[in-house]
Amino acid sequence: MSIVYNEESKLFILSTKHTEYQMKIDEIGILQHLYYGATVGGMDMSYQICQLDRGFSGNPYEYRSERGKSLDTLPQEFTGANVGDLRISSLSIKSANGSRSCDLRYKCHEIRKGKYTLKDLPYVRGHNGDLAIEEDVQSLIITLWDSLIGLEVKLHYGVFEKKDVITRAMVMVNNGKDWIRVNKLSSVCIDFPHGRYDLIHFYGRHCMERQMERVPVKHDIISIQSKRGMSSHHHNPFVILCDADTNQNQGCAYGFMMMYSGNHKTEVEKDYLDSTRLVMGLQNSNFAWRLEVGESVTAPEVIMTYAKNGLNQLSRTYHHIIRENVVDAKYYNLRRPVLINNWEATYFNFTEEKILEIADSAKELGIDMLVLDDGWFGKRNDDNTSLGDWFVNQEKLPSGLKHLADGVRERGLKFGLWFEPEMISEDSELFREHPDWAMADPERKPMYSRNQLVLDMSRKDVQDYLFDRMAEIIRDANIYYIKWDFNRSVSNFYSKALPSDRQGEVAHRFMLGTYALLDRLLKEFPELMIEGCAGGGGRFDAGMLFYCPQIWTSDDTDPVARLQIQSGTSYGYPVSTMGSHVSASPNHQTGRRTSLNTRGIVAMSGTFGYELDLTKITKKEKELMKKQIKDFRRFYWLIQHGEYYRLTDDRDESYFTCWEFVSADKSEALVNIVITDVHANPEIPFVRLQGLDADGWYLVEGTDKKYTGQALMNGGVVFGELVANCGGSDDNYPGAQYHLIRIG
Ligand code: GLA
């Protein structure tokens, strides 16, 4: 049993293969947090709670004569507010009488077989469709409540025993007699009363997403957040807490990943007793939810894991749970198409003829799908108009979209199409007809970005319009794939369909509206594949991955920049989710010149495709591309399902990046390396491989070199030949890929 409750000691133990999580109900009904970490064999960890009489940390009324007992120093599972715990709190509310207090005590609990689900929000799936992976999942729902105001907080736990994952979510219910205003809604609160931690988080910007940053947690509150209406390029809803000496392969690390694509916030506080608390949930500066009697509101799910052996282990746990339980099961065994996208080939400037020429070349190369990007609808010839007018651009495509899509299919390719559903241009038929569908404060001019406004996705009529328009096009042109874009931060959160005292709900309702539309389209078109996108990787999160098996990782397609972006992304997300293309050189974003070989190696650590004008490539390039596509197909399962290892640490000032995929049975591996800084008289790149069969012998494909797994992992490998060839070469960023095959 992975969830056990001991009636006598009032102890909850949640166990996975290698981890344990403990909570205990104390004498006055406070749910204490006792432990999360490596297995302790069911030992009651309450001996670690050591409450002393501390000045200025007061006592609950029941403990008024026991001065050591304070909520301010007690590790708690989910805090109330304004009742004595003066650290960051899990919630903030206001009752109808103006009181901001909430005193949460244990009410009841329930242990269930299987995984709980959430209404209207994405969640980690218990049994993922036809995925032939045996699961052993249990759920625990603990209800805490404030009996005075009737507010219930239902803490949800999903325990994935074999995967070493525990999920958490929170449903707040008003079972009182009057409305309650919720001003802060969190999914997770967790206390670490002992230990010193580093916080790893992933910050960034457009064209430079998910840069890993590591900072020591000091006596302060660090907050990682987005209030952009999207999970954002700027701060990913994923953080790691780890020991100061944790590295890729050693040391303890905790991961917290929120399955949400809108405004989010993670706070980490180290208090005056050196205890660390993490609270993760919705960003609350624009948030205020009016909870009527009988209503509920849900805080999104958080995927937690603990790794004893470093960051690579933590990442691999996330890779498994995302591939197997977050992304729709059908993609597990389905090869995703190698695609050609016309964006960097033509931008807005294309004709049917040009797209079909690209399709001809794509077919010759062995590409599976052509994606027509922005510019096919309304009067869209630049980024100033027509968002919302999801009707074919008659001037550009006079024979219609279906005609073009049929033409692409006649060439043996699937057809995919770009949409940016949640946006509206002021210069559009849709805006002229429904100006109130655009989010804007009444009587104020809206904020512009890329010359576009944001649709009010909280409105059912907006969702219905988008569903109807998109469904008609998908049906008519038989669309296999959609690139679902989102090209600005949201500001001016305001819905003209909601009363004034519900405007604080708009940001979250916006996200619920988008999820509802995605859900409806996927139910209507079960075969439809959606790739997420938001000006590159501005909405790369586990929430979107519930609907989209892959997400465009960044608008920066420069392979050298991509090394860092993809490596940062890999801490939480598997390469099978990372949209990654070979583009032109010099690169359109950075001007950097790189070889086609290096571009191919980097793009292959993703979903793989091309995004350049295939009608302009040389014969030599064509041959190399054919080989790349063949190689990608050959290595497909090794890359998509293999165990992934970062062999160079992002903190090293290394002049190369190296990473590895190893098949589950260790029978093969793919080692990738790119030199990022060529210099004369170079030192020899050196790494130790990982995850191989120590007793096995491995052959480097295409050579007669053979090594033992032990030698490769303990002794390591050197890449002398790669740097020896740099001098006199015009490849400034040489890369190589080595396929190792176990031969004994
Ligand atoms: C965003 C996407 C690009 C492209 C453009 C089209 O920036 O990330 O890949 O689709 O929009 O406008």
Side-chain angles (χ1 to χ4, degrees):
M1 290 292 276
S2 50
I3 301 177
V4 175
Y5 175 64
N6 183 320
E7 193 64 56
E8 213 174 304
S9 58
K10 301 204 176 321
L11 180 68
F12 291 97
I13 300 182
L14 281 50
S15 336
T16 69
K17 213 159 145 197
H18 303 102
T19 76
E20 203 164 313
Y21 191 101
Q22 292 189 8
M23 299 165 269
K24 191 174 207 166
I25 310 163
D26 78 2
E27 306 90 301
I28 62 168
I30 303 288
L31 187 62
Q32 301 175 341
H33 175 78
L34 296 191
Y35 180 72
Y36 187 29
T39 305
V40 290
M43 173 78 205
D44 181 339
M45 297 303 282
S46 51
Y47 73 85
Q48 291 201 335
I49 296 184
C50 185
Q51 284 194 293
L52 307 176
D53 180 5
R54 307 279 183 180
F56 297 90
S57 285
N59 323 103
Y61 193 77
E62 296 96 320
Y63 291 142
R64 58 198 178 281
S65 54
E66 290 177 75
R67 291 181 32 179
K69 294 199 169 170
S70 171
L71 293 186
D72 200 26
T73 59
L74 186 71
Q76 287 163 74
E77 194 57 23
F78 203 83
T79 77
N82 203 29
V83 288
D85 184 337
L86 300 167
R87 297 168 284 182
I88 42 176
S89 51
S90 320
L91 53 77
S92 164
I93 59 150
K94 191 172 119 185
S95 302
N97 72 356
S99 162
R100 291 167 184 276
S101 302
C102 179
D103 193 0
L104 291 177
R105 306 291 169 107
Y106 170 83
K107 185 178 185 192
C108 57
H109 75 268
E110 184 197 340
I111 297 173
R112 284 190 208 155
K113 204 167 178 296
K115 170 74 192 344
Y116 63 85
T117 58
L118 298 174
K119 202 171 136 263
D120 307 331
L121 280 166
Y123 53 85
V124 181
R125 304 169 215 250
H127 283 279
N128 201 349
D130 60 358
L131 202 54
I133 289 172
E134 207 191 315
E135 296 287 357
D136 190 1
V137 191
Q138 273 193 303
S139 299
L140 165 68
I141 296 162
I142 305 180
T143 304
L144 306 180
W145 75 323
D146 182 321
S147 56
L148 188 73
I149 54 173
L151 184 72
E152 289 187 355
V153 161
K154 291 181 177 293
L155 303 177
H156 287 53
Y157 300 83
V159 182
F160 290 74
E161 216 217 297
K162 296 199 175 79
K163 296 233 161 83
D164 276 328
V165 161
I166 297 178
T167 61
R168 283 183 66 178
M170 190 275 289
V171 180
M172 198 181 261
V173 187
N174 183 353
N175 273 333
K177 295 199 168 55
D178 218 330
W179 59 265
I180 294 169
R181 172 94 57 215
V182 183
N183 292 316
K184 181 178 184 184
L185 192 71
S186 306
S187 316
V188 161
C189 168
I190 186 163
D191 281 333
F192 298 90
H194 311 289
R196 287 165 203 276
Y197 299 96
D198 279 0
L199 175 72
I200 297 178
H201 64 102
F202 302 89
Y203 77 98
R205 53 188 179 273
H206 178 227
C207 283
M208 208 57 181
E209 295 86 343
R210 288 169 295 289
Q211 303 296 298
M212 194 257 236
E213 185 165 85
R214 181 168 179 161
V215 290
V217 178
K218 297 207 174 125
H219 294 94
D220 198 350
I221 299 173
I222 309 174
S223 93
I224 305 296
Q225 55 181 311
S226 164
K227 45 183 169 180
R228 297 167 175 274
M230 60 202 292
S231 49
S232 87
H233 308 83
H234 305 77
H235 286 295
N236 197 259
F238 169 53
V239 301
I240 299 169
L241 272 185
C242 62
D243 287 353
D245 58 359
T246 295
N247 62 26
Q248 295 296 351
N249 306 311
Q250 280 161 7
C252 303
Y254 298 88
F256 303 91
M257 176 183 286
M258 201 165 156
M259 278 189 87
Y260 192 59
S261 318
N263 292 347
H264 61 88
K265 177 159 147 183
T266 304
E267 297 161 284
V268 181
E269 175 179 16
K270 182 165 167 175
D271 72 6
Y272 75 104
L273 294 173
D274 288 357
S275 164
T276 303
R277 170 174 289 174
L278 179 142
V279 173
M280 192 175 217
L282 297 189
Q283 205 282 341
N284 58 319
S285 64
N286 278 326
F287 181 81
W289 193 279
R290 188 180 160 105
L291 201 59
E292 297 292 348
V293 175
E295 282 183 358
S296 67
V297 60
T298 303
E301 185 154 284
V302 169
I303 309 171
M304 306 193 304
T305 189
Y306 167 82
K308 202 175 162 186
N309 300 313
L311 302 169
N312 265 322
Q313 187 196 9
L314 180 118
S315 299
R316 287 198 303 276
T317 301
Y318 277 110
H319 297 173
H320 278 280
I321 197 93
I322 289 179
R323 277 193 309 239
E324 293 153 23
N325 299 74
V326 173
V327 168
D328 187 336
K330 77 174 191 223
Y331 293 107
Y332 192 77
N333 292 318
L334 187 80
R335 272 175 187 269
R336 268 160 290 134
V338 173
L339 65 85
I340 170 74
N341 179 303
N342 75 305
W343 180 243
E344 287 197 17
T346 65
Y347 295 100
F348 293 102
N349 190 15
F350 57 84
T351 57
E352 175 171 313
E353 205 188 345
K354 177 73 190 178
I355 298 298
L356 291 178
E357 269 173 38
I358 293 178
D360 282 331
S361 318
K363 182 181 164 40
E364 203 192 325
L365 295 177
I367 287 174
D368 304 306
M369 176 168 73
L370 182 140
V371 177
L372 181 62
D373 211 280
D374 196 354
W376 60 267
F377 53 94
K379 297 194 166 37
R380 182 109 163 151
N381 295 317
D382 56 33
D383 58 13
N384 293 322
T385 91
S386 301
L387 291 168
D389 292 347
W390 302 112
F391 299 91
V392 73
N393 184 334
Q394 296 287 359
E395 267 166 45
K396 219 180 269 184
L397 300 173
S399 312
L401 196 61
K402 182 175 183 322
H403 192 260
L404 172 60
D406 286 345
V408 169
R409 273 189 293 271
E410 274 158 26
R411 286 157 174 84
L413 302 176
K414 292 185 161 73
F415 184 70
L417 193 63
W418 183 96
F419 280 94
E420 196 180 355
E422 298 140 283
M423 298 290 163
I424 180 165
S425 305
E426 197 167 11
D427 180 9
S428 68
E429 295 307 320
L430 187 67
F431 186 82
R432 283 183 274 277
E433 215 172 302
H434 295 287
D436 54 332
W437 283 10
M439 278 210 283
D441 262 289
E443 296 161 47
R444 278 184 210 279
K445 294 284 177 223
M447 220 274 293
Y448 267 75
S449 187
R450 212 193 188 202
N451 201 20
Q452 64 196 53
L453 302 176
V454 185
L455 275 173
D456 179 0
M457 294 299 295
S458 73
R459 293 176 72 127
K460 183 72 174 46
D461 47 5
V462 169
Q463 292 169 32
D464 288 346
Y465 166 80
L466 290 170
F467 177 81
D468 290 346
R469 285 306 326 126
M470 293 175 81
E472 194 182 312
I473 290 163
I474 295 166
R475 215 171 277 124
D476 182 50
N478 197 3
I479 309 285
Y480 177 79
Y481 155 114
I482 282 180
K483 179 173 171 189
W484 184 299
D485 214 336
F486 189 88
N487 277 318
R488 59 162 288 180
S489 299
V490 186
S491 34
N492 316 124
F493 286 106
Y494 194 96
S495 171
K496 298 192 177 94
L498 287 172
S500 61
D501 64 344
R502 285 195 173 268
Q503 293 303 324
E505 299 172 17
V506 176
H508 186 47
R509 287 189 185 276
F510 177 90
M511 217 47 253
L512 297 178
T514 296
Y515 288 148
L517 179 61
L518 280 159
D519 188 58
R520 206 166 148 196
L521 282 167
L522 288 169
K523 286 205 170 105
E524 181 78 11
F525 302 101
E527 302 306 318
L528 180 69
M529 172 178 167
I530 305 182
E531 174 158 349
C533 179
R539 212 159 54 174
F540 204 117
D541 56 68
M544 285 313 278
L545 288 172
F546 185 76
Y547 307 96
C548 315
Q550 59 195 55
I551 299 176
W552 183 227
T553 315
S554 178
D555 272 350
D556 192 341
T557 57
D558 170 354
V560 178
R562 274 288 184 127
L563 286 174
Q564 232 174 306
I565 297 168
Q566 293 178 192
S567 169
T569 307
S570 78
Y571 280 82
Y573 307 95
V575 298
S576 58
T577 63
M578 296 185 208
S580 189
H581 302 166
V582 170
S583 62
S585 175
N587 179 268
H588 289 197
Q589 293 78 40
T590 61
R592 197 193 317 258
R593 287 175 195 277
T594 51
S595 66
L596 182 55
N597 179 47
T598 294
R599 281 176 275 153
I601 290 170
V602 176
M604 271 191 218
S605 288
T607 59
F608 200 59
Y610 290 83
E611 186 161 339
L612 73 176
D613 193 344
L614 291 181
T615 64
K616 292 192 180 138
I617 54 174
T618 64
K619 214 165 158 231
K620 206 168 142 209
E621 285 173 327
K622 199 175 276 177
E623 290 317 306
L624 181 50
M625 286 179 185
K626 278 188 190 163
K627 178 171 181 313
Q628 287 175 335
I629 293 166
K630 250 195 218 141
D631 282 348
F632 180 67
R633 293 229 169 86
R634 211 154 59 89
F635 301 141
Y636 186 83
W637 297 114
L638 176 56
I639 293 174
Q640 305 295 311
H641 286 181
E643 301 292 333
Y644 173 89
Y645 297 87
R646 290 175 295 271
L647 299 180
T648 38
D649 194 306
D650 296 349
R651 287 193 299 174
D652 291 347
E653 281 175 24
S654 166
Y655 68 105
F656 65 97
T657 301
C658 192
W659 68 102
E660 180 194 14
F661 300 97
V662 184
S663 64
D665 63 1
K666 300 173 194 274
S667 63
E668 54 174 343
L670 193 67
V671 179
N672 308 271
I673 176 168
V674 175
I675 308 288
T676 48
D677 181 15
V678 171
H679 44 264
N681 205 6
E683 53 279 43
I684 306 292
F686 165 80
V687 292
R688 291 193 177 93
L689 299 191
Q690 298 207 35
L692 302 176
D693 173 2
D695 301 326
W697 276 89
Y698 288 87
L699 171 76
V700 183
E701 195 187 33
T703 73
D704 55 5
K705 291 180 183 158
K706 296 178 195 117
Y707 307 93
T708 61
Q710 234 166 3
L712 295 170
M713 293 193 293
N714 298 337
V717 295
V718 291
F719 299 93
E721 279 168 27
L722 187 63
V723 285
N725 295 336
C726 288
S729 143
D730 58 3
D731 190 355
N732 283 331
Y733 302 93
Q737 206 168 46
Y738 302 92
H739 184 208
L740 306 181
I741 305 164
R742 189 174 54 193
I743 47 164

